[in-house]
Amino acid sequence: MSLPAAEFRPAPRAEGWRWAPAWILLFVALWPAPGYAEGVLALGALAALFQLVLRRFRGGEQLLSNQAWALTSVMFFAYWMPELISAFDALDHGRAWGEAATDLRYLPFLWLVASAVANERGRRITFGGLAIIVAVWTADALAQVVSGTSPLFFGIDMLKQAISGHSMCSAAEAASVDRLSGFLGPCNLKLGLVLASLSPFGLFSAGRRFGLVGWLLAAAAIGIVILLAGARAAWLTYALVLVFSGWRLLGWKQLLGVFASAAILLVGLALASPQLARRVQLTTAAMAADEAGLDVALSGRARIWQAAGCMIGEHPINGVGARNFRDVFPQCDPTPAVAPAWGHGPALHAHQIVLEILAETGVVGLLLWLAGAALAWRAWRYAPPQARERARPAMLALAVTVFPFNTHLAFYSTFWGGLTLLLAALYSGSLLARHDALAP
């Protein structure tokens, strides 16, 4: 569909906030210390509100195009409105209302994130900085493979001990770790999931700077870390990243060769790592197991999903409340007399995006999420090729993170919710940075 010629008039130069890219990168780099990362987020949100009052309503397009403001805001409200609606009759009213209130801080922060990539300089610094962070985390994890210790986490832990007198993780947590933990440490085993979600920034940067050889080397290094990090959901996420970032460089035939090499690498690593071998065995056992065996192979997730189905049936409209899954789980546990595969205590969340949304925020929540996804897709569909190209790393990172046919961390948790919303804002800001991505 054609647009009136007047709608193609050049937009005002998008200046953005010059310090925004550094602020975003600092937020990501501080993820091993969640308290400090949250502090950076809160200060960024306050700074964004201040700048908004000063500049948004008088020449605000110097910060961000109207389309980017709108899409960023819509994607936030598609996330936030479900938890607000679910709070009205949640089991734990205090927790549900508290989650809804505190998550409002994300909106101005997302405007800040989108502004960070509103111009070429900001995109170059932000996307390039994320690629460097991915490279550093990968090199650090590979060093842990060789030496048994993550240099980054060792330094963070020493600093923590100097400040507070105790370690980031307890001795029991450090002794029980069964996978590569990297910069996040043995008490926060999210390395594979985080690296898989952010890997598009590293792979696109390597391919752009060093061509096919750079992409292959980066893909192999990141892949080794993700395999040894042990999260099988991250394996699927990274496989999707390889498919959609690799086929344009390699073509389908060569990409199949990459996956064949990856399968050989997986076998070799499994032979060298008993922990990885166990996860491979659990994965293959799931194909032929009965219901009980399937639950074991899925680390108890089949039991959790049954409980989520119970919650959906009892609270279909607006769910049990954001982050109330753990409170309702004992009432919906299908086998309460059996010790759970994950250890002691109730399941904390549904471990699957669709089930989490339906169980905690109901059909209303799912419809709002789908509306946000539809608008994000519409913006991509009608964007010109140059806009798609500059937004491609953020688009792929966001798409694989919310890919519905996988297992997930809790999207209404502080960490994973913050990561997902960050990717949504990077996508919106880079795709609609100027007026060259108008919908009909």
Side-chain angles (χ1 to χ4, degrees):
M1 181 180 295
S2 61
L3 293 174
E7 295 191 22
F8 285 102
R9 287 178 297 180
R13 179 177 177 82
E15 295 178 0
W17 293 308
R18 295 184 64 84
W19 50 268
W23 202 260
I24 306 311
L25 296 175
L26 177 63
F27 169 66
V28 174
L30 286 173
W31 279 348
Y36 293 106
E38 280 295 300
V40 168
L41 187 153
L43 290 174
L46 290 173
L49 280 175
F50 178 73
Q51 288 274 24
L52 176 63
V53 171
L54 287 180
R55 299 171 63 184
R56 171 56 183 155
F57 299 108
R58 51 181 183 87
E61 288 186 79
Q62 293 179 350
L63 300 176
L64 202 58
S65 72
N66 285 330
Q67 293 87 348
W69 281 104
L71 184 59
T72 304
S73 301
V74 163
M75 293 180 76
F76 166 77
F77 283 110
Y79 173 91
W80 182 77
M81 284 298 295
E83 62 176 326
L84 176 67
I85 294 170
S86 73
F88 284 95
D89 59 352
L91 179 65
D92 186 342
H93 281 86
R95 183 181 183 87
W97 283 111
E99 289 286 336
T102 56
D103 282 357
L104 275 173
R105 73 196 188 282
Y106 284 124
L107 180 57
F109 184 72
L110 296 189
W111 289 334
L112 175 66
V113 174
S115 177
V117 292
N119 54 55
E120 180 58 34
R121 171 189 172 274
R123 284 191 297 276
R124 184 177 66 253
I125 294 173
T126 305
F127 285 8
L130 289 173
I132 291 171
I133 288 174
V134 167
V136 170
W137 288 348
T138 302
D140 171 76
L142 292 174
Q144 184 182 5
V145 173
V146 175
S147 67
T149 301
S150 160
L152 280 178
F153 181 74
F154 179 79
I156 294 169
D157 193 47
M158 291 297 101
L159 184 61
K160 172 72 172 177
Q161 290 186 45
I163 294 173
S164 65
H166 58 82
S167 298
M168 295 281 291
C169 304
S170 67
E173 288 170 327
S176 63
V177 67
D178 62 347
R179 65 186 78 174
L180 193 66
S181 57
F183 72 101
L184 291 170
C187 51
N188 190 6
L189 299 175
K190 300 184 181 77
L191 172 65
L193 293 162
V194 171
L195 203 56
S197 286
L198 295 186
S199 62
F201 297 102
L203 292 180
F204 276 98
S205 178
R208 185 174 60 254
R209 289 177 175 272
F210 306 110
L212 177 59
V213 173
W215 186 91
L216 288 171
L217 290 175
I222 296 172
I224 289 171
V225 172
I226 290 173
L227 285 174
L228 292 176
R232 289 170 289 173
W235 300 355
L236 177 55
T237 298
Y238 190 57
L240 293 171
V241 171
L242 292 179
V243 168
F244 289 102
S245 68
W247 71 269
R248 303 174 75 213
L249 274 174
L250 285 77
W252 291 112
K253 291 184 179 179
Q254 288 183 300
L255 188 60
L256 288 175
V258 169
F259 277 95
S261 301
I264 295 171
L265 178 63
L266 175 60
V267 172
L269 290 174
L271 292 174
S273 170
Q275 295 87 357
L276 178 60
R278 172 168 170 73
R279 294 195 169 273
V280 172
Q281 290 168 2
L282 285 174
T283 304
T284 54
M287 306 298 179
D290 56 16
E291 183 176 341
L294 181 64
D295 186 58
V296 173
L298 294 174
S299 301
R301 285 177 176 81
R303 180 173 173 177
I304 294 171
W305 295 339
Q306 285 180 279
C310 164
M311 296 179 204
I312 296 166
E314 294 184 0
H315 302 269
I317 305 301
N318 64 341
V320 300
R323 302 302 287 154
N324 275 200
F325 191 96
R326 69 188 72 192
D327 301 309
V328 185
F329 179 82
Q331 304 170 22
C332 283
D333 187 354
T335 53
V338 179
W342 58 85
H344 301 290
L348 302 183
H349 60 96
H351 289 270
Q352 207 283 326
I353 183 171
V354 177
L355 292 178
E356 178 186 354
I357 295 168
L358 280 172
E360 296 190 1
T361 67
V363 173
V364 172
L366 182 62
L367 290 175
L368 287 167
W369 272 73
L370 290 174
L375 289 171
W377 166 246
R378 188 175 188 271
W380 177 267
R381 180 182 177 188
Y382 292 110
Q386 65 270 26
R388 293 187 189 184
E389 193 60 33
R390 70 184 178 222
R392 200 172 296 277
M395 179 278 295
L396 182 55
L398 177 61
V400 298
T401 298
V402 299
F403 181 66
F405 302 106
N406 198 0
T407 60
H408 307 89
L409 297 177
F411 285 93
Y412 281 107
S413 67
T414 298
F415 178 78
W416 203 244
L419 181 148
T420 305
L421 289 172
L422 171 73
L423 296 177
L426 290 174
Y427 166 74
S428 302
S430 56
L431 183 71
L432 302 174
R434 302 186 192 281
H435 284 311
D436 55 2
L438 297 175

